Amino acid sequence: MNLRFLCARHRAWLEQDPRAAQDVWLRAYDTARSLRAEGESERALRHAGAAVEAAVVALSCDDGKDARSLDRFADSCVLFLANLRELRQHGVARSFLGAAMQQLSDLMAAGAPRSGVMLACQRLLAVDESGVHDRGSAVGPAPRSYNLH
């Protein structure tokens, strides 16, 4: 995935420190959820994108073999897609969904557990089926809640 929500320096730092990638993910994800709940989908989208990018960094560190990394990636993608849908960015949502599915396919080819990858795929497809392509404001699966501590 070629996302640009984190600057190159920040991304390089996260690649060197997988624990930091998890912390950045949690803060970005939590902020995106809060902003979305306040009706600020545009601002939430930027934070959700940063969460996706941090999750991709974490996935690359463990090749998707840690189920928590796969969950964080899927959760971030669900939140990102939900914000895109609220902003009526259906074309971007379709492109993003394709890139996310390709990321999961690549992980499985690299040896990530099939069951975890398939579960992540099902979660993304459930968002798609619930209205990413629809013109209305269908409600998809709610992003999961996490606590900072």
Side-chain angles (χ1 to χ4, degrees), residues 77-136:
C77 289
V78 166
L79 184 56
F80 191 76
L81 286 165
N83 280 291
L84 285 172
R85 181 175 51 246
E86 288 174 7
L87 294 168
R88 300 186 184 273
Q89 296 293 319
H90 303 292
V92 176
R94 284 189 297 272
S95 295
F96 177 79
L97 180 62
M101 296 299 279
Q102 183 61 54
Q103 179 83 30
L104 291 168
S105 175
D106 293 347
L107 285 170
M108 194 158 55
R114 179 180 170 81
S115 61
V117 172
M118 295 304 291
L119 184 59
C121 287
Q122 289 171 347
R123 291 197 60 222
L124 294 180
L125 290 174
V127 173
D128 185 49
E129 290 172 359
S130 69
V132 170
H133 298 297
D134 291 351
R135 298 281 179 225

Side-chain angles (χ1 to χ4, degrees), residues 6-47:
L6 301 174
C7 70
R9 179 185 262 162
H10 199 175
R11 184 177 176 85
W13 169 60
L14 296 181
E15 289 169 348
Q16 298 300 312
D17 187 354
R19 177 73 179 137
Q22 292 174 15
D23 291 342
V24 167
W25 173 82
L26 186 54
R27 283 189 188 97
Y29 182 83
D30 187 55
T31 301
R33 286 187 72 244
S34 295
L35 288 169
R36 181 173 182 243
E38 294 169 8
E40 296 193 46
S41 295
E42 203 163 308
R43 287 182 57 209
L45 183 66
R46 290 191 293 271
H47 289 279

